Amino acid sequence: MSETVVLDVDVKSPIERVWNALTDSATLSRWMLFKSNDFQPVVGHAFQFREADGWDGVIDCEVIEVDEPRRLSYTWVSDQLGPSNLQQSTVVTWTLTEAGGGVTRLRLEQSGFDSEARQEIGGARYGWTSMLDELQGVLAST
Amino acid sequence: MSETVVLDVDVKSPIERVWNALTDSATLSRWMLFKSNDFQPVVGHAFQFREADGWDGVIDCEVIEVDEPRRLSYTWVSDQLGPSNLQQSTVVTWTLTEAGGGVTRLRLEQSGFDSEARQEIGGARYGWTSMLDELQGVLAST
C-alpha cells in the first residue's frame, strides 16, 4: 500500500510570485527547512536540499516537470534512513491555481510513501505544514 | 491549511468486483469498521455508517458522485468530536483504474481535514489502512 501526503493552502499572493518562491533557489532557502539547495526549474536537472537544524543529511532530487506557473514536480530521496529503516523514494508535486481575488491555491503532494513508514509520513506532514507556514510568511513580507 | 489523506492499493481483482465491494451495503459491512450502513450508490442519497467496536457514534454521509465503475464520492461527517475538538467535514472519494493483468488500482482520498486536527488525520490514516487490508481480504476470499 502506498500513501500520499496532500496539503492545500490559499495564499494571498499572485500566482507568479508563488511560483517564484517555489523555483528561485535563494527564496527556497528562506522558507524550506534546508540550509542550501542548487535547484533550477529545468526538467532533468539533478539537485539537492542540504542540511537542516540538527540534521546533516542530503535530499537527492531530479526535476520531472516544469509547467510555469501551474505545476512543478521533482523526485525526493533522502540519503539517510528514517526511523522505519525503509528507503522512501517519493515525488513532490506542486500545483498552483488562481482562485480569484488575488488568491493562489497551492497544493503540495508528496507521493510514493510505503504506508508502513508511518513515522516518515508523519514527519513529512509535520515538516511540510511548518514549511508552508514559513512560505506564507515569506510571501507576506516581501 | 487543509489536508487530504490519500492511500493507493493494487488489488488483484476485476474492477467490477472492487466496485461491488465499495457499493454493496452488505459487502461494505464485511470490511468497514462500522457495524451497519444504509448506503446506496445513488447521487443525493443520505446515509450513515453506524457503530464500531468501542465506538457508538454515527457518520453522516451523502452521495456526491457515482460513476460506475470508476469513481464514487460521498461526504463524511462524524456526530462526535474527536480529540482536537474540531468538527471535520470531509469528503471520501474512491477512484478505480484497471492496471492490466486483472489488477485494479484503488485510490482512497479523504479531503477537507483542518491540518490542525492532527489526531483525527492520524486516526483516519490508521483506520483506512486497516480497512483497506480488510477489503483485500474480502476480495481474496470470495
Side-chain angles (χ1 to χ4, degrees):
Chain A
M1 212 178 296
S2 81
E3 186 156 340
T4 304
V5 171
V6 183
L7 289 166
D8 287 292
V9 62
D10 285 343
V11 184
K12 217 168 161 41
S13 198
I15 193 167
E16 294 80 8
R17 242 162 71 77
V18 180
W19 177 262
N20 180 69
L22 299 177
T23 54
D24 177 68
S25 174
T27 311
L28 278 170
S29 291
R30 292 182 59 203
W31 62 270
M32 292 281 281
L33 291 172
F34 308 96
K35 291 183 182 169
S36 68
N37 72 85
D38 53 341
F39 177 82
Q40 291 176 29
V42 175
V43 172
H45 176 63
F47 66 103
Q48 296 181 324
F49 290 107
R50 300 184 203 96
E51 253 190 286
D53 279 337
W55 185 80
D56 66 351
V58 163
I59 310 286
D60 281 303
C61 304
E62 185 175 326
V63 179
I64 299 171
E65 185 180 356
V66 178
D67 177 12
E68 181 178 356
R70 283 185 295 274
R71 203 173 147 90
L72 171 70
S73 188
Y74 39 83
T75 60
W76 180 285
V77 181
S78 173
D79 70 336
Q80 303 195 346
L81 287 182
S84 303
N85 273 324
L86 295 166
Q87 179 74 50
Q88 300 300 301
S89 178
T90 60
V91 172
V92 170
T93 302
W94 297 97
T95 311
L96 294 75
T97 317
E98 289 179 293
V103 169
T104 301
R105 169 150 294 185
L106 179 62
R107 166 164 285 202
L108 171 277
E109 292 176 75
Q110 187 170 7
S111 64
F113 286 104
D114 183 327
S115 58
E116 288 178 25
R118 307 205 75 75
Q119 286 177 274
E120 284 80 349
I121 296 168
R125 290 176 45 224
Y126 184 84
W128 286 117
T129 302
S130 164
M131 287 191 271
L132 286 171
D133 277 340
E134 291 290 326
L135 171 61
Q136 287 178 282
V138 163
L139 287 168
S141 72
T142 46
Chain B
M1 210 177 301
S2 80
E3 185 157 341
T4 304
V5 171
V6 182
L7 288 166
D8 287 293
V9 63
D10 284 343
V11 183
K12 218 170 161 38
S13 198
I15 192 166
E16 292 80 8
R17 241 162 72 76
V18 181
W19 177 262
N20 180 68
L22 300 176
T23 55
D24 176 67
S25 175
T27 311
L28 278 169
S29 290
R30 293 183 57 204
W31 63 269
M32 292 282 281
L33 291 172
F34 308 97
K35 292 183 182 169
S36 67
N37 72 84
D38 53 341
F39 177 81
Q40 290 176 30
V42 175
V43 172
H45 175 63
F47 66 102
Q48 296 181 324
F49 290 108
R50 300 184 203 95
E51 254 190 284
D53 279 336
W55 185 80
D56 66 350
V58 163
I59 311 286
D60 280 304
C61 305
E62 186 176 323
V63 179
I64 300 171
E65 185 181 354
V66 178
D67 177 12
E68 182 178 355
R70 283 187 296 274
R71 203 173 145 90
L72 172 70
S73 188
Y74 39 83
T75 58
W76 180 283
V77 181
S78 174
D79 70 336
Q80 303 195 347
L81 286 182
S84 303
N85 273 322
L86 295 165
Q87 180 75 50
Q88 301 297 302
S89 177
T90 60
V91 173
V92 169
T93 301
W94 298 96
T95 310
L96 294 74
T97 317
E98 289 180 293
V103 170
T104 301
R105 169 150 295 186
L106 179 61
R107 166 163 286 201
L108 171 278
E109 292 175 74
Q110 188 171 6
S111 65
F113 287 105
D114 183 327
S115 58
E116 287 177 26
R118 307 205 75 75
Q119 288 176 272
E120 284 80 349
I121 296 168
R125 290 177 46 224
Y126 184 84
W128 286 117
T129 302
S130 164
M131 286 191 271
L132 286 172
D133 277 339
E134 293 290 327
L135 171 60
Q136 287 178 282
V138 164
L139 287 169
S141 73
T142 47

